[in-house]
Amino acid sequence: MSALKTLIIIVQTVILLAAACFTRPPESDFKSFVHRNMRTKADGLLSAADADAHADAVLKQCTLRNRVLWVEAVRDGQVIYVGALGHWFDRSMIDRNPSVG
């Protein structure tokens, strides 16, 4: 019975790892995420064209590092966005809010 439980746990772990690997967001999804994120942050402060220009500047400065289970967007040696399980996450929010993490 113990061997069956171990087998089930191993199979579920492999399935979870495979799902994480196959659901990494693509580069095109990152570009649309950055544009959407910049428009949201600049809401009321900048026009949509200015927000898009700022997003394009950020995209030119970023490099994507493709990990096995996630993707990292790096700017100036700092990871600013992480893509995993079909979503992008803003890492800069962690640096700004010391109560998180």
Side-chain angles (χ1 to χ4, degrees):
M1 189 63 156
S2 176
L4 184 60
K5 286 182 186 178
T6 304
L7 178 65
I8 290 172
I9 291 171
I10 290 172
V11 168
Q12 288 177 338
T13 302
V14 168
I15 290 171
L16 180 65
L17 292 174
C21 181
F22 290 121
T23 59
R24 287 178 299 173
E27 184 176 351
S28 60
D29 190 33
F30 173 65
K31 291 177 182 178
S32 65
F33 170 77
V34 170
H35 279 276
R36 191 172 50 250
N37 194 20
M38 292 299 165
R39 284 188 206 122
T40 303
K41 285 182 180 179
D43 193 26
L45 299 175
L46 297 173
S47 67
D50 290 337
D52 285 340
H54 189 271
D56 289 335
V58 169
L59 287 170
K60 287 180 183 175
Q61 296 171 353
C62 287
T63 57
L64 294 180
R65 286 195 273 188
N66 206 0
R67 305 296 187 200
V68 176
L69 301 177
W70 67 91
V71 180
E72 296 174 341
V74 179
R75 181 174 66 181
D76 299 330
Q78 296 276 28
V79 177
I80 57 171
Y81 297 109
V82 174
L85 300 174
H87 298 285
W88 285 96
F89 303 97
D90 188 357
R91 285 277 319 255
S92 64
M93 298 301 284
I94 296 171
D95 297 333
R96 284 186 237 143
N97 190 355
S99 65
V100 176

